[in-house]
Amino acid sequence: MSLSSLSGAPGASPLVAAVAWLQGTVLGTIATTVAIIAVAWVGLLMLLGRFEVRRGMTVVAGCFVLFGASAIVGGIRGAVAGEDVASAYAPPAVAPPPQVPAPRRNADPYAGASVPGR
């Protein structure tokens, strides 16, 4: 039996489909909503003094790890591959603004459309 049969078309494997569904469920809008409510609830309990701050910070850190997992894995893979981690997540280069022509020397800056030219 060769391993080439295991490397079929992307998404053809039921295991890949199950992992994709799990990722969509864990990182979807419902999970985001639940995380926002959990952080708000824990924050309220901490303000009321009914929840330890240390345990509250673990909830917030867990949300950061859960939703930032793809960036964390990308950084680790880039570090292992020897890439510069900062360049892997650098924002795309922005084009410089268009050059505006310099105003004429004798132009009157206060002249409007109703003032005839000189």
Side-chain angles (χ1 to χ4, degrees):
M1 182 173 140
S2 68
L3 292 178
S4 63
S5 65
L6 295 177
S7 62
S13 170
L15 184 61
V16 172
V19 170
W21 174 82
L22 183 64
Q23 180 184 6
T25 303
V26 170
L27 300 176
T29 55
I30 295 173
T32 305
T33 305
V34 169
I36 289 171
I37 292 171
V39 168
W41 185 255
V42 167
L44 179 66
L45 289 176
M46 284 191 310
L47 283 173
L48 294 175
R50 299 186 180 269
F51 205 73
E52 297 173 11
V53 175
R54 182 176 292 177
R55 286 188 65 195
M57 290 297 123
T58 59
V59 171
V60 174
C63 290
F64 275 114
V65 169
L66 178 66
F67 292 110
S70 61
I72 293 169
V73 170
I76 292 172
R77 282 186 180 173
V80 169
E83 297 176 5
D84 185 17
V85 177
S87 66
Y89 292 101
V94 179
Q99 295 294 328
V100 179
R104 297 182 313 198
R105 281 191 154 201
N106 296 334
D108 186 6
Y110 300 107
S114 62
V115 178
R118 295 183 186 177

